[in-house]
Amino acid sequence: MSLAPRRHRLLASLLVAVVALSSSGFVLLTGAETDRYLAISRSLELFGRIYRAVSSDYVDVVDPAAFVRAGIDGMLATLDPYTVYLDGEEASDLELITTGKYAGIGVTLALRDGQLVVIAPTEGYAAERAGIRPGDRLLRIDSTDVSHLTPTDVRLLVRGAPGTSVGVTVNRAGVAEPLEFSLTREEIQVRNVTWSGRVAPGVGYIGLDRFSRRAGEEVRQAITALQSPTDEPLTGVILDLRGNPGGLLDAAIDVTEAFVPTGSLIVSTRARGDAVGRKVTSDVAPVLDPSVPLIVLIDGGSASASEIVAGALQDLDRAVLVGERSFGKGLVQTVVPLGGRSSLKITTARYYTPSGRSIQAIDYSAPRPDHRTPVVVADSLRHPYQTRSGRLVYDRGGIAPDTTVVPPTADPLLVELRRQQMIFRFADRYAAAHPTLPDNFQIDSALLRQFDAFLVESHFTYESASEVKLKELRALLGPKTAASPALAGLERDLSQQKALDPGKHQDEIRRQLLGEIAGRYGNERGRQAALVPGDPQVKAAVALLGQPQRRLHLLNQ
């Protein structure tokens, strides 16, 4: 997690720089400090000797830059995985994470059936304005054939200086000839809030995917829109942090401030040798009315800044946390510029939730004779802390939800529909045949029958869970087993039951079809608007908001 400046409340950096000479020319060091700096000096001298010897005398020619990069990476590998040297494209990726901006055409790509496919053009930017759609398959960027390239390779081709042009050629379902677009690169502002809206009468939803600089501003805007006086009164809000890997510490603070009273402790940080630490409290009024219940969705992909927000809202008893245990990253990183396009992202502090707990799940400092190796903290070593109302919460293992809701295990039918891109491809076909989407579009029985016919036409097959087990049993018993007639009868029964699978999963198939088809006309926002209300964990959160006694019990147990 990067640390950015924040209205005089945090120091500009948690990294302590040691200056060897004072203005008078001398600085007093303790004996231990003297020994440490002598050890650093000797180690650097040894590193330099080895580097020079290998670079000049090794039997094969050594690339000096690659050799020193390997040395840097080797040193940093003995620390935690968040302390890394960044150069070139890596530095650009970090800039995107922190600023939420990049220069390009505004398009999200992925591999589908071995082809690069547009998943969603970014609303309001060059690709969308030119008419590029979800499902379009990339053929060329300028004159470069991209059929053999990865999404990362193509990203390097489409990004560039704002104002420059790039040619994009695509194939589109239902269109015979390739389509060519000439696009002008521009600065793209990536959204932190992917979608917000009503998911049930009176219930608002905010999906937060990242924590770049504008995250707090976007959350405030979403809350204001949800509290519009023209809509029915807001009876609850769901903040979705599932799969959000984090970002800026300041952004996490800004987001938390939108929900908690002024003066609330949000987070504290402690660097090496800092016994007191630094505390951050909210200094602005919340945007969401304090009387409106709040639920926060978390899972194993909720990390870093997400855990700061979730931990603060849990410790302050402002929200009920629903879902699964979070990732468990309680470390703060600072970016140190090294000149040119290179920088060092270094872990400089630990952070603590308002109750005082560190939620770091892995100990990267556990000693071993050769080097340090990460160790997962055992449950027996976790310590209890108390929320504002006295509820027990625990440290060193991520953040546990107040009520656990695990998504249902995907049935083999649904897994294979997704893996073989059946729903994605059917949405392409539908969009090719329908220039516009009807108002209040829904997946009716007629469209489901069309989808079933599409599966037959596409020779779609899959093995049910029972068929997999039967195959394993056949392999175990061998081909000449006396049980063969019984197994054959069981196989017929399973085949008959399998024919009923699409009906058993009809609701989920409808939901996924609705999301993919709506996404062809409304970009990612349209897709989310169709998918989110039917999400099992969102539905559980909506149900909990309709049970005020149970919700209050969870906040006071």
Side-chain angles (χ1 to χ4, degrees), residues 484-497:
S484 289
L487 293 177
L490 181 59
E491 196 169 52
R492 287 191 298 272
D493 291 342
L494 290 179
S495 180
Q496 293 173 358
Q497 291 181 20

Side-chain angles (χ1 to χ4, degrees), residues 67-68 110 114 133 137 162 181 226 228 234 244 302 314 320 363 365 392 401 417 423 442 477 504 513 530:
F67 187 44
V68 76
R133 298 179 184 175
R137 283 159 167 75
F181 300 89
L226 289 173
S228 170
L234 200 60
N244 185 326
S302 306
Q314 185 179 55
V320 174
D363 182 4
S365 64
L392 288 182
L417 286 174
I423 293 175
Q442 294 296 324
L477 296 177
K504 289 190 296 184
L513 280 171

Side-chain angles (χ1 to χ4, degrees), residues 169-334:
T169 305
V170 303
N171 262 340
R172 179 173 296 168
V175 179
E177 298 297 324
L179 301 175
E180 297 183 356
F181 300 89
S182 180
L183 307 176
T184 300
R185 296 182 178 96
E186 57 190 314
E187 186 176 83
I188 309 295
Q189 179 71 58
V190 178
R191 289 185 175 87
N192 297 274
V193 174
T194 50
W195 181 73
S196 62
R198 299 287 178 113
V199 291
V203 178
Y205 170 94
I206 302 171
L208 187 63
D209 268 14
R210 59 183 61 82
F211 286 87
S212 65
R213 287 177 186 164
R214 295 185 66 251
E217 178 185 346
E218 291 180 34
V219 168
R220 285 181 172 83
Q221 291 171 349
I223 294 172
T224 300
L226 289 173
Q227 296 183 131
S228 170
T230 60
D231 294 328
E232 61 183 300
L234 200 60
T235 58
V237 170
I238 300 167
L239 176 64
D240 192 347
L241 299 177
R242 292 175 299 172
N244 185 326
L248 295 175
L249 172 60
D250 282 354
I253 295 166
D254 287 343
V255 168
T256 308
E257 283 184 320
F259 300 101
V260 301
T262 305
S264 300
L265 176 62
I266 294 175
V267 68
S268 59
T269 62
R270 197 175 303 156
R272 186 176 73 185
D274 185 358
V276 178
R278 297 169 179 84
K279 296 184 177 181
V280 180
T281 58
S282 173
D283 60 8
V284 298
V287 182
L288 183 66
D289 189 311
S291 66
V292 176
L294 177 64
I295 288 183
V296 177
L297 297 179
I298 60 171
D299 65 7
S302 306
S304 189
S306 290
E307 293 172 300
I308 288 179
V309 174
L313 295 174
Q314 185 179 55
D315 284 3
L316 297 172
D317 298 307
R318 178 61 184 93
V320 174
L321 271 55
V322 173
E324 303 167 273
R325 185 182 296 276
S326 67
F327 180 81
K329 180 178 181 287
L331 304 174
V332 179
Q333 284 73 48
T334 300

Side-chain angles (χ1 to χ4, degrees), residues 44-58 67:
L44 288 173
E45 182 180 356
L46 176 61
F47 184 89
R49 286 178 179 176
I50 293 173
Y51 177 76
R52 285 190 294 271
V54 173
S55 297
S56 61
D57 299 334
Y58 185 67
F67 187 44

